Amino acid sequence: MIKLYDYELSGDCYKVRLLLGMLRQPYERIELDLYPGCEHKAPWFLAINPLGELPVLDDAFVLRDAHAILVYLARKYDATSSWCPVDAEAMGNITEWLGVAQKLAATAGAARLHDTLFYEADIDRCRDGARRLLRLLDEHLWFAEQEGRDWLCSRGHPTIADVACFPDVMLCEEGGISRLPYPAVRRWCDRMKRTPHFCTMPGIFPARTDASPLGMKSLGQ
Amino acid sequence: MESRLLDRGMTQPAIEAVLWDDWHVVGEYDSVVRARRWSTLLLGVSVLLEADAAGGIVAYADAARIASVETRYGFVWVCLGTPARDIVELAECADADRWVASAGSVRVAVSGLRAVENFLDLSHLAFVHAGYLGEEPHTEITQYTVECTAEDGVLATGCRVYQPKASAAVCDGYDVDYIYAVLRPYIVVLYKANPVEMHRKDMIALFVQPVSEESCIAHVLSCYLKHGVEPAALRRFQQFIFGQDRPILENQLPKRLPLAPRAEVAVRADASSAAYRRWLSERGVRYGAIPA
Amino acid sequence: MTLGVDLSATGRWFPVARSEEVIARHVVQTQLLGQELAVWRDDIGAVNAWENRCPHRGVRLSIGHNNGIELQCQYHGWRFASGSGQCTYIPAHPTQKPASTIRAMTYAVREHHGFVWACVDAPAYPLPEVPAEMLTLRSVVVDATHDAIAAALLLGYRFAADPGLADPRGADSSLMDADVTAVEPFVWRTAAIGRRGTTVMFFLQPHTERQTVMHAGVFDAAPPDAGTARLAVLRHHHARMTALRDAVEGLP
């Protein structure tokens, strides 16, 4: 059974939980008391990851770093090769956007940790940086829609690039960054939430699939 | 409202005595000791906490020493004025068969009064905490009793909600009985029947630190009977639940709590929040509110 | 919550979204003259522009759900009907009909030639005249006042009538500086350039005092050649408009 060293409110951990869910892979969560307990800096955990960071995956092979874990899980468990295709262009593209996801974590993610859990950060610089990235993301997604593509790197199916960018974008309002000026990003977030086997975390509400019990005939009243 | 003079002779913008002369949590004790220096804001005033190697805490408001500093229930409390009464008494925290676990502190960009009102609210449980504290279609809120008492603030009893996973200790769903008590304008406690010892109650306290009129820090304390729960699980559960409330609170407009009875629409299920708003008005609370 | 000082904006219709972006089962979050709006389309196709605030406890409706006939608030699940904004269902009291006084605040809304338009007070003017065959371009958000954008537009808008041939760096001689004139407050038009008489129109939507959306559309006096690449036109004007945005925002 895959083991995931994890913290509920961590965006990076959520990236891994999201993909594990969408890959339908069962796993055991080992939840650390990151806040306020600082358990990720405890000696027993530093022995597992000397960087003292979450998430860490143990699949009889220990891997740290959320994006590395996404690549590994997609290659190991996705028989369709949709989440991380191996052709050169796809891999290049995905890696490009994993780089953007890293920048989103350092800006929007850091702003969120500052605003919620008292992490130190140059908050204005983080927010400005996040807004620049969101602007870029909005342009990219808008033109993708015009070309019939629903996702960052691909047409009909999300990749790990989408999984990697989603949490820090979806939670950016917790860091004082509004999504109002980014309508294409908001549509992409809705599409992510409707992906089969999507799971939420605190701060993210699920899409609803129910129709109103009133039925269509109530329109026009 | 009277103005207050700090030691340096500065005049503080008048803040009502009911808040100024009362105790407020300004930090979780263990976090303050670990950090050695802890800077925060209370009612718009800069507060600095300094911890020595022995774990003693000294507090300053705008560089003037704060006389009233206490550690209670795992949190650091200060009073910026002259305490009119003691820190709230939570007798359950002394029970030997309970875990008393802080779930930590979370910043929220909304008036603390909105955070207290959210804690009192029953009809959001099936939507914001779906699958845990409530579940559709069990959304109906049956009539409950609300009373205002001079000492206890607002007391809501007879509240009942179907919960699929009511606490860290429980696996199956059942109807849970709740009691809510607003003890201070920014402090509220809830009691829910323990699943094993049904005649006794688990308790969760929310100590809200008013940072500014439109922002606060929520300090959460769990005080659960020990049956089948570990403190770490309690902490995780409270952080999880509060994490679900936070985006709701931060998307409320206006950020301050309107106290006029018709400012926002209320239905019968909102009886405790309507009583809370009236009670705040009667006590002259203005900080974090839009007065009636 | 509305901007009080801009009298020229009172009673006017402003575009608040491109029609094709107000998709089913989604809620658009936008802002007009300081007033936040939740803009959404029901399953029959009718559009709504509401105050982005549930009347119950003030939670933004844009974090709620469009179920095709109602907007449902995320906080307590209250539902509000398309068109009237009337509250149809309060889950805490599921067998009771909500009082008819409980409703979301609705604003005047129209769908017209590629945009959804809203007015946050009583409409006192007709909708701006817009050519039916106009191709709407990507709307560009500018962190500046609408006056600052207007000032930049008055200096002219540089674009190519045939973007397939234009150098994206802007050095190509097929780019022309077209004069821009005001049609009415917040609406601007370039002179027609090129052999087909290509014109660009700009529609400014003030979000707040510090942020404005530049909506735009392009149209030709004569029918376009077969094979004019729509995507090339969109990309070209996007590059030109972001250059204008960067100039207004003072970026290098």
Side-chain angles (χ1 to χ4, degrees):
Chain A
M1 169 80 77
I2 296 172
K3 286 211 263 284
L4 178 67
Y5 295 88
D6 177 57
Y7 177 61
E8 183 72 58
L9 303 179
S10 156
D12 274 347
C13 292
Y14 175 54
K15 293 174 190 179
V16 177
R17 297 198 305 264
L18 203 46
L19 186 63
L20 282 166
M22 296 200 274
L23 291 173
R24 314 287 269 141
Q25 280 302 313
Y27 63 100
E28 182 197 337
R29 279 173 88 173
I30 299 163
E31 295 189 68
L32 276 74
D33 179 7
L34 183 134
Y35 175 82
C38 283
E39 202 177 358
H40 56 310
K41 307 295 182 194
W44 74 267
F45 185 71
L46 290 174
I48 295 170
N49 179 9
L51 288 177
E53 289 171 354
L54 290 170
V56 171
L57 191 89
D58 182 350
D59 190 15
F61 157 67
V62 176
L63 199 56
R64 60 167 183 255
D65 187 290
H67 297 166
I69 295 171
L70 293 180
V71 171
Y72 167 77
L73 289 172
R75 293 309 314 146
K76 178 116 187 218
Y77 294 107
D78 175 23
T80 69
S81 256
S82 318
W83 289 100
C84 189
V86 280
D87 64 279
E89 275 182 29
M91 285 257 36
N93 240 330
I94 284 173
T95 309
E96 209 178 41
W97 286 98
L98 291 180
V100 172
Q102 207 72 276
K103 292 195 212 295
L104 282 165
T107 53
R112 172 177 171 260
L113 291 173
H114 170 277
D115 278 12
T116 54
L117 300 184
F118 308 94
Y119 276 51
E120 300 266 339
D122 180 343
I123 189 62
D124 290 325
R125 197 147 174 264
C126 286
R127 288 186 185 137
D128 283 342
R131 290 184 188 117
R132 269 198 294 280
L133 287 167
L134 286 165
R135 208 176 232 192
L136 196 141
L137 210 56
D138 197 72
E139 281 178 24
H140 179 81
L141 287 167
W142 193 90
F143 280 101
E145 283 174 336
Q146 293 298 320
E147 292 169 1
R149 284 187 292 116
D150 278 347
W151 308 105
L152 286 172
C153 299
S154 53
R155 182 167 297 270
H157 190 286
T159 64
I160 58 172
D162 301 279
V163 175
C165 290
F166 176 73
D168 291 310
V169 171
M170 193 65 222
L171 296 166
C172 68
E173 301 199 323
E174 293 190 6
I177 299 148
S178 170
R179 272 191 305 283
L180 188 153
Y182 316 110
V185 169
R186 293 184 77 257
R187 289 191 293 276
W188 169 78
C189 288
D190 269 14
R191 290 196 292 276
M192 276 303 292
K193 290 204 226 177
R194 295 200 157 103
T195 308
H197 313 301
F198 176 84
C199 66
T200 64
M201 66 165 274
I204 299 177
F205 296 110
R208 292 181 69 98
T209 51
D210 53 328
S212 166
L214 295 176
M216 289 294 281
K217 64 181 187 294
S218 71
L219 276 172
Q221 282 171 2
Chain B
M1 290 193 286
E2 316 127 73
S3 65
R4 300 280 166 181
L5 291 166
L6 297 180
D7 287 4
R8 290 195 300 176
M10 280 169 49
T11 305
Q12 187 63 31
I15 288 176
E16 54 275 24
V18 65
L19 297 177
W20 192 258
D21 291 327
D22 200 1
W23 293 93
H24 300 273
V25 171
V26 286
E28 199 224 4
Y29 179 75
D30 287 341
S31 298
V32 174
V33 166
R34 194 181 305 121
R36 300 299 284 266
R37 284 170 67 90
W38 187 266
S39 250
T40 187
L41 275 172
L42 173 64
L43 297 165
V45 175
S46 292
V47 169
L48 175 66
L49 303 175
E50 285 182 341
D52 60 34
I57 310 270
V58 176
Y60 301 89
D62 278 340
R65 182 87 179 249
I66 299 177
S68 309
V69 187
E70 294 270 349
T71 299
R72 192 83 58 91
Y73 314 124
F75 292 99
V76 179
W77 300 70
V78 304
C79 173
L80 293 174
T82 307
R85 46 185 171 168
D86 285 337
I87 293 173
V88 290
E89 181 63 38
L90 299 171
E92 293 82 5
C93 291
D95 292 348
D97 59 350
R98 289 181 187 269
W99 296 121
V100 179
S102 139
S105 313
V106 181
R107 283 212 256 240
V108 194
V110 80
S111 161
L113 300 176
R114 287 269 199 204
V116 170
E117 190 180 76
N118 165 264
F119 199 77
L120 288 170
D121 181 271
L122 287 168
S123 39
H124 78 288
L125 301 181
F127 293 96
V128 179
H129 307 297
Y132 291 89
L133 303 183
E135 192 165 61
E136 293 174 79
H138 310 276
T139 58
E140 182 166 15
I141 304 301
T142 51
Q143 188 147 12
Y144 56 93
T145 308
V146 187
E147 42 189 297
C148 286
T149 62
E151 196 56 75
D152 295 339
V154 180
L155 186 67
T157 53
C159 311
R160 176 165 263 248
V161 174
Y162 172 82
Q163 298 198 323
K165 188 173 169 52
S167 82
V170 180
C171 290
D172 297 319
Y174 64 102
D175 282 335
V176 177
D177 291 307
Y178 275 91
I179 292 173
Y180 293 95
V182 177
L183 303 178
R184 299 284 191 275
Y186 282 93
I187 295 179
V188 56
V189 176
L190 81 82
Y191 299 90
K192 45 200 288 192
N194 182 271
V196 175
E197 278 188 73
M198 308 275 292
H199 63 286
R200 292 178 73 198
K201 297 190 170 21
D202 291 326
M203 188 261 279
I204 303 161
L206 179 69
F207 308 120
V208 181
Q209 174 185 342
V211 166
S212 71
E213 293 215 65
E214 299 191 347
S215 67
C216 65
I217 297 172
H219 307 277
V220 182
L221 180 73
S222 297
C223 187
Y224 274 51
L225 292 166
K226 285 179 177 170
H227 308 293
V229 273
E230 294 296 321
L234 279 182
R235 168 175 289 181
R236 283 199 298 269
F237 189 72
Q238 286 313 317
Q239 287 189 354
F240 178 89
I241 293 298
F242 201 86
Q244 293 182 319
D245 281 315
R246 204 168 168 276
I248 293 291
L249 290 169
E250 295 196 330
N251 275 291
Q252 278 186 288
L253 300 165
K255 288 201 172 283
R256 282 180 272 170
L257 186 72
L259 299 185
R262 293 204 193 298
E264 295 182 336
V265 175
V267 292
R268 206 186 61 202
D270 302 314
S272 54
S273 95
Y276 174 59
R277 293 183 185 202
R278 263 196 316 274
W279 179 79
L280 289 170
S281 270
E282 284 160 12
R283 291 183 149 245
V285 173
R286 304 166 100 82
Y287 197 85
I290 299 173
Chain C
M1 279 204 268
T2 55
L3 298 177
V5 287
D6 208 326
L7 294 174
S8 63
T10 308
R12 293 201 182 271
W13 292 96
F14 289 87
V16 291
R18 293 171 67 253
S19 284
E20 74 175 36
E21 295 184 42
V22 186
I23 56 175
R25 307 300 178 100
H26 178 70
V27 186
V28 172
Q29 183 193 12
T30 186
Q31 206 165 8
L32 180 56
L33 302 165
Q35 174 63 59
E36 258 199 54
L37 301 176
V39 176
W40 64 284
R41 188 188 298 281
D42 68 26
D43 278 0
I44 283 182
V47 289
N48 295 275
W50 292 357
E51 179 189 21
N52 190 14
R53 192 182 165 270
C54 179
H56 181 208
R57 287 292 178 259
V59 169
R60 286 188 167 92
L61 291 171
S62 57
I63 66 165
H65 308 276
N66 168 357
N67 68 14
I69 64 172
E70 296 152 327
L71 212 48
Q72 178 171 26
C73 181
Q74 179 60 63
Y75 198 0
H76 304 95
W78 287 25
R79 297 189 196 137
F80 302 89
S82 177
S84 65
Q86 179 107 44
C87 181
T88 54
Y89 183 65
I90 293 176
H93 303 296
T95 56
Q96 290 171 25
K97 191 169 183 292
S100 58
T101 47
I102 305 178
R103 56 178 59 231
M105 159 97 122
T106 65
Y107 291 111
V109 67
R110 293 282 185 279
E111 196 150 23
H112 175 64
H113 296 327
F115 289 111
V116 171
W117 304 75
C119 181
V120 288
D121 26 51
Y125 300 91
L127 284 163
E129 281 199 29
V130 175
E133 63 282 2
M134 184 176 74
L135 169 70
T136 57
L137 302 170
R138 178 171 183 262
S139 306
V140 173
V141 179
V142 187
D143 287 324
T145 64
H146 65 90
D147 284 328
I149 299 171
L153 283 172
L154 278 171
L155 299 176
Y157 180 65
R158 189 177 169 79
F159 71 104
D162 285 309
L165 308 170
D167 177 351
R169 288 166 303 166
D172 201 289
S173 59
S174 65
L175 289 175
M176 294 178 63
D177 284 302
D179 286 338
V180 179
T181 51
V183 174
E184 54 176 274
F186 308 96
V187 181
W188 301 82
R189 174 162 52 218
T190 70
I193 65 160
R195 60 197 169 81
R196 293 196 309 279
T198 304
T199 306
V200 180
M201 285 189 78
F202 300 97
F203 310 88
L204 302 184
Q205 172 197 351
H207 269 175
T208 62
E209 278 144 344
R210 286 189 311 272
Q211 189 177 72
T212 309
V213 187
M214 271 176 72
H215 299 286
V218 61
F219 61 96
D220 299 323
D225 296 335
T228 298
R230 183 174 163 275
L231 209 52
V233 172
L234 293 174
R235 284 202 184 277
H236 173 70
H237 284 286
H238 180 66
R240 306 312 309 145
M241 284 169 68
T242 51
L244 195 147
R245 174 197 71 196
D246 292 346
V248 172
E249 288 183 356
L251 294 174

